[in-house]
Amino acid sequence: MPMPSRLSVVTVGVRDLPLLRRFYAALGWAEIDGSDDDWTAYLVGGVLFALYPAAELAAEAGAEVPPTPTWSGVTLACNVDEADDVGTAFDAAVRAGAVPIAEPQTREWGGRSAYVADPEGTRWEIAWAPGARFDERGALTGFGG
């Protein structure tokens, strides 16, 4: 059987899990049962977003923890329902402690987006895309045309 075409869990290795738990709580995100300062997760639109100590994740994944947090070249995205929601969500994230990276703006690809970083530098794109469709859980069910 081939590997299924799905994304089930995104795990981010973090240095200060209590700090990140406070940040995501300030966004209003609900932790799943069993979350604590050793591992925590949030069910977001059908995907589990997990935070795990960076050293332990690196050991499992056969990697090394960089000496200082740096941008990995990966962004996570939260798509919103309307173009005007980008600015509202951006402002809410900054109030919760996110670092503003790029102010809301209309993009060449026809949508609108902004970027913030969580307190450890994980980049989040807050985006509105004209062809994005969601189910009642907020899971992406279609994109484009």
Side-chain angles (χ1 to χ4, degrees), residues 83-104:
D84 289 343
D85 295 342
V86 172
T88 303
F90 177 85
D91 292 341
V94 171
R95 280 193 308 276
V99 177
I101 302 297
E103 297 282 329

Side-chain angles (χ1 to χ4, degrees), residues 6-135:
R6 69 175 68 124
L7 181 62
S8 308
V9 179
V10 173
T11 303
V12 175
V14 301
R15 296 167 188 277
D16 187 342
L17 194 47
L19 171 67
L20 273 288
R21 287 181 77 198
R22 289 189 301 273
F23 169 72
Y24 288 103
L27 287 179
W29 292 18
E31 295 178 348
I32 67 166
D33 289 341
S35 292
D36 59 26
D37 284 344
D38 294 321
W39 175 88
T40 195
Y42 310 84
L43 188 57
V44 292
V47 173
L48 193 70
F49 175 63
L51 304 175
Y52 194 59
E56 293 177 46
L57 184 59
E60 285 184 18
E64 293 183 22
V65 178
T68 58
T70 60
W71 182 51
S72 65
V74 173
T75 62
L76 305 176
C78 173
N79 280 69
V80 294
D81 295 322
E82 303 291 335
D84 289 343
D85 295 342
V86 172
T88 303
F90 177 85
D91 292 341
V94 171
R95 280 193 308 276
V99 177
I101 302 297
E103 297 282 329
Q105 56 193 278
T106 300
R107 301 290 181 178
E108 289 181 20
W109 46 265
R112 185 167 177 75
S113 74
Y115 286 87
V116 296
D118 76 12
E120 288 199 0
T122 298
R123 296 299 204 271
W124 281 91
E125 179 184 24
I126 302 165
W128 170 77
R133 295 177 302 283
F134 307 94
D135 68 14

Side-chain angles (χ1 to χ4, degrees), residues 131-144:
R133 295 177 302 283
F134 307 94
D135 68 14
E136 66 281 350
R137 297 176 306 155
L140 189 65
T141 61
F143 200 84

